[in-house]
Amino acid sequence: MKLIRIIFIFIFVIVGIYLIACLFIPAKYTVERSETFNAPADIVFEHVGSFKNWAKWNPWKDKDPEMKTLVGPHDGKTGSYWLWKGQKSGEGRMTSTEIIDQKQLSYHVSFTEPYPSESDGFIKLESEGNQTKVTWMIEGSNPFHRRVLNLMMDKWNGPEFEKGLSLLKTIVEKEAEIFQKEYFGYRIKEIKFNGSNLSS
């Protein structure tokens, strides 16, 4: 009985320390990384604004090669979504909440595995002459009893953001170089027209 009492006291102390620690851990977490690309914003945005193009620079792809993905309809528009499921990457959904052409994609992430969680983020583009500064940010919160995870979010996601930005940088800078050499910087871009009569 004495041993059992000691075990219960030990568990009670550990749990108490953990809960007290949660009181001092911020309720929200933020992960942010930036990289400057030698490419114009329109080339960069083609790979950022479309979830289908994320497959080319998804930093989690190599870590979880068996991950299954599905991009919903209306890709590149507000409300479009991307579903994924994998042993290492868990299961979740990313939904675009705002798209500003050549400037920003905002999104909401909802995880069901490994545990339910919600977060919001964006990828923002800022033109700097012939270069583009790309900032990838995500922020969210965890329930009180899981606040300790907030301390790990930057360590877990920061390197992945850096890897993704590095992969994206390689892709868009190569495209920008090709356009500059072969088309002297000019590009042909498809624009959808609703058929309205423009004449007055």
Side-chain angles (χ1 to χ4, degrees):
M1 291 297 292
K2 185 177 181 180
L3 178 60
I4 294 176
R5 184 183 301 172
I6 292 174
I7 292 174
F8 272 107
I9 292 174
F10 177 77
I11 293 175
F12 180 79
V13 171
I14 294 298
V15 171
I17 293 174
Y18 177 84
L19 294 177
I20 291 173
C22 287
L23 289 172
F24 295 95
I25 297 175
K28 294 185 177 181
Y29 64 84
T30 300
V31 181
E32 182 176 317
R33 295 293 189 275
S34 296
E35 181 71 69
T36 299
F37 299 174
N38 292 314
D42 61 330
I43 292 181
V44 179
F45 195 77
E46 284 190 7
H47 295 275
V48 169
S50 168
F51 287 141
K52 288 182 179 178
N53 288 334
W54 279 48
K56 301 175 184 177
W57 55 275
N58 179 1
W60 292 278
K61 188 176 181 180
D62 291 338
K63 183 175 288 187
D64 192 357
E66 301 300 321
M67 179 175 61
K68 306 297 182 182
T69 61
L70 174 66
V71 176
H74 312 299
D75 184 41
K77 296 183 179 180
T78 301
S80 58
Y81 60 88
W82 172 34
L83 308 175
W84 71 87
K85 184 176 183 180
Q87 291 185 345
K88 295 181 180 179
S89 55
E91 182 176 356
R93 174 187 178 118
M94 178 183 288
T95 304
S96 62
T97 55
E98 183 182 28
I99 297 178
I100 305 175
D101 189 36
Q102 300 184 35
K103 291 185 178 181
Q104 184 166 312
L105 165 71
S106 299
Y107 60 84
H108 179 78
V109 179
S110 176
F111 268 96
T112 53
E113 296 290 342
Y115 61 87
S117 66
E118 306 280 336
S119 58
D120 293 285
F122 64 72
I123 297 182
K124 181 171 64 175
L125 279 57
E126 298 174 274
S127 295
E128 299 178 343
N130 295 324
Q131 298 180 321
T132 303
K133 180 181 178 182
V134 182
T135 301
W136 192 357
M137 189 279 290
I138 192 168
E139 61 182 3
S141 61
N142 279 295
F144 177 78
H145 63 284
R146 287 206 299 258
R147 278 190 185 178
V148 68
L149 297 177
N150 293 353
L151 300 177
M152 304 299 295
M153 287 300 177
D154 191 83
K155 182 178 180 180
W156 288 339
N157 293 291
E160 301 302 329
F161 282 17
E162 292 169 7
K163 180 180 178 182
L165 290 173
S166 178
L167 291 171
L168 180 59
K169 179 183 174 73
T170 299
I171 293 171
V172 300
E173 288 188 349
K174 184 176 181 180
E175 287 189 9
E177 184 179 1
I178 292 174
F179 279 115
Q180 186 63 41
K181 287 182 177 180
E182 298 186 10
Y183 304 102
F184 306 101
Y186 291 98
R187 304 179 63 212
I188 298 175
K189 193 171 183 180
E190 181 180 358
I191 298 177
K192 293 185 178 180
F193 179 57
N194 62 13
S196 300
N197 189 347
L198 299 180
S199 61
S200 56

